[in-house]
Amino acid sequence: MTYFVSHPCHPPIFNNEETAEGRRDHFGGIAAKQAIVNALMQGPEEHYALGDKVGRAIYAPVFRSHRVTVEQMALLEPGLSETVCASLLDVMREAMDEVVARGVPKEAARDFLLGHLNILGAVIFDEIDGVFSAACNKAIEFGKPVLMKEDWKRVFEPDEIAASIQRIT
């Protein structure tokens, strides 16, 4: 018996979708290209190619396929994508709502946050060759210890990943 696990990465924020339909396909599997991750959990090595082909068909259009282990896939989800990324994005939304509650017009706050998310993300994830201003670096230096617990990376420890999987399934 062969077990093959495939999961979409979803269309990336930084992409070059040429159609409106592709730009609006945030989930993937419709018009926007996305990467996938695959793991051969059990079975002969020669079954990997068939599993990859099936994964590419299910999540099409696919621009890249990554081979990982099942354990690495758990680090990616729930670890990286849900525990870290979704939590931090939820905090960002709460922060936007807070500045709105303090008088900033909602549309201005949303435009400002999403625009900065774009350029800050482009620098942090090496989409562009850029650096932050000295003021931005000072804000990060102050903000991280205020916003993040010192031991936050423990969410990637095997016991924490296993507990996370138990909580969400």
Side-chain angles (χ1 to χ4, degrees):
M1 169 96 33
T2 296
Y3 292 104
F4 191 87
V5 185
S6 187
H7 197 287
C9 295
H10 304 293
I13 290 174
F14 305 115
N15 65 44
N16 60 352
E17 294 297 330
E18 296 176 4
T19 67
E21 184 182 31
R23 287 186 294 277
R24 285 191 305 267
D25 181 12
H26 302 290
F27 189 81
I30 298 170
K33 296 175 286 301
Q34 64 183 327
I36 60 173
V37 292
N38 296 317
L40 180 62
M41 184 173 181
Q42 173 183 306
E45 179 60 31
E46 57 268 16
H47 288 184
Y48 183 86
L50 175 60
D52 182 67
K53 187 175 180 179
V54 171
R56 287 173 182 270
I58 291 170
Y59 299 116
V62 171
F63 70 87
R64 186 170 31 242
S65 175
H66 302 278
R67 185 170 186 171
V68 298
T69 66
V70 172
E71 293 77 16
Q72 290 169 335
M73 198 175 286
L75 287 170
L76 295 172
E77 187 165 310
L80 181 62
S81 62
E82 294 171 343
T83 304
V84 176
C85 185
S87 296
L88 293 175
L89 286 170
D90 193 55
V91 168
M92 290 169 57
R93 173 58 193 255
E94 287 181 30
M96 184 191 82
D97 291 343
E98 181 63 23
V99 300
V100 169
R102 291 172 183 252
V104 176
K106 184 175 183 175
E107 194 169 291
R110 187 175 191 276
D111 286 347
F112 204 82
L113 177 61
L114 295 180
H116 278 77
L117 181 60
N118 186 40
I119 185 58
L120 296 170
V123 172
I124 289 171
F125 290 100
D126 301 319
E127 279 296 310
I128 62 170
D129 184 23
V131 295
F132 293 146
S133 67
C136 183
N137 285 325
K138 286 178 185 177
I140 292 168
E141 184 180 336
F142 170 79
K144 280 178 77 172
V146 170
L147 297 170
M148 303 295 294
K149 290 183 177 182
E150 191 174 302
D151 68 341
W152 73 267
K153 291 181 184 175
R154 71 180 163 73
V155 301
F156 295 111
E157 293 300 323
D159 290 347
E160 290 287 334
I161 291 290
S164 179
I165 291 169
Q166 285 298 315
R167 281 190 298 273
I168 66 174
T169 56

